Amino acid sequence: MGLDYGYEIFVPARNVDRALTALTELAPRTDRVPPLTVTLPGGAQLVVPFTSNFTSEPVDCSAGGTLELDTSIMFGVDDAVREYVEDLHLELDELGRVQIGYIYLTVRFAPAQHPHYAALEFTAATSGMSRMFERSAAVREVFTGLTAAAGGVCCLLDTERDTFDICWLNGRPVQDTVPGPNFPSHRDLAATWPDAA
């Protein structure tokens, strides 16, 4: 069994389209896959440059539930990213970034424990990618930047341990853990989020 580390971003439920639009801006500029049309809760439609369960068939999430996407994201290169891509012979783009994928995204619309929020869970596809997620400041910067762009309230790094690293909270980057001295539980952490109703 490999490592399945991931970043989890919480955004007000009404901001999912904003989050997916910001994520689209982080996608590689390629037409390798046909665009995918997603219908969000409330009926709004969005076209994204990803697949869902490795197909490009339209996805209807108008009734809520979850959305599964297979994403590729452009990351800046630091030592941890360089080590990960060393044998993959990937080219840098004009901004000095490299394409990493697949990163599996599950969007949970209004999860039971946080009904006014949506959770975007980005999971590494391999153990090597998981280790890069944990070690790379450049990767963390992309996910906290996405949290900010989406109007998100919290970004966590899950390394399959008893604690989660808090990377972003209420408008600013932080270095803390949950559970920890400041946040004994996830409920205590969520209590600091603004009312998204």
Side-chain angles (χ1 to χ4, degrees), residues 1-188:
M1 198 77 179
L3 303 175
D4 294 316
Y5 295 0
Y7 280 89
E8 187 169 13
I9 296 172
F10 293 91
V11 301
R14 65 182 176 274
N15 288 18
V16 170
D17 59 341
R18 184 171 156 187
L20 292 176
T21 299
L23 178 62
T24 295
E25 293 300 313
L26 297 171
R29 299 289 171 242
T30 177
D31 52 3
R32 273 190 11 215
V33 296
L36 172 73
T37 301
V38 177
T39 304
L40 299 172
Q45 286 194 329
L46 194 63
V47 176
V48 296
F50 309 119
T51 56
S52 179
N53 297 309
F54 300 104
T55 74
S56 295
E57 295 298 316
V59 178
D60 185 354
C61 297
S62 57
T66 60
L67 168 65
E68 304 283 344
L69 294 176
D70 321 300
T71 72
S72 289
I73 300 175
M74 302 300 291
F75 292 99
V77 178
D78 60 12
D79 288 344
V81 172
R82 187 175 296 107
E83 181 182 322
Y84 175 71
V85 302
E86 198 168 47
D87 298 326
L88 302 179
H89 309 292
L90 299 175
E91 294 183 20
L92 299 180
D93 72 358
E94 66 280 0
L95 300 175
R97 302 175 306 169
V98 67
Q99 173 183 337
I100 305 292
Y102 288 104
I103 299 170
Y104 303 114
L105 169 59
T106 301
V107 180
R108 298 185 194 287
F109 301 101
Q113 68 272 34
H114 308 297
H116 300 295
Y117 290 90
L120 287 78
E121 301 170 9
F122 294 87
T123 304
T126 66
S127 293
M129 189 187 296
S130 290
R131 287 187 283 274
M132 180 192 64
F133 272 25
E134 181 179 26
R135 296 174 185 158
S136 172
V139 169
R140 182 177 293 230
E141 186 177 300
V142 165
F143 286 113
T144 57
L146 179 59
T147 307
V153 295
C154 188
C155 176
L156 302 173
L157 172 60
D158 177 3
T159 55
E160 300 181 315
R161 296 184 181 101
D162 293 337
T163 60
F164 293 73
D165 293 337
I166 305 169
C167 308
W168 181 271
L169 183 61
N170 297 327
R172 62 184 181 83
V174 297
Q175 290 187 333
D176 209 335
T177 61
V178 58
N182 295 319
F183 305 103
S185 71
H186 285 271
R187 179 173 287 154
D188 295 306

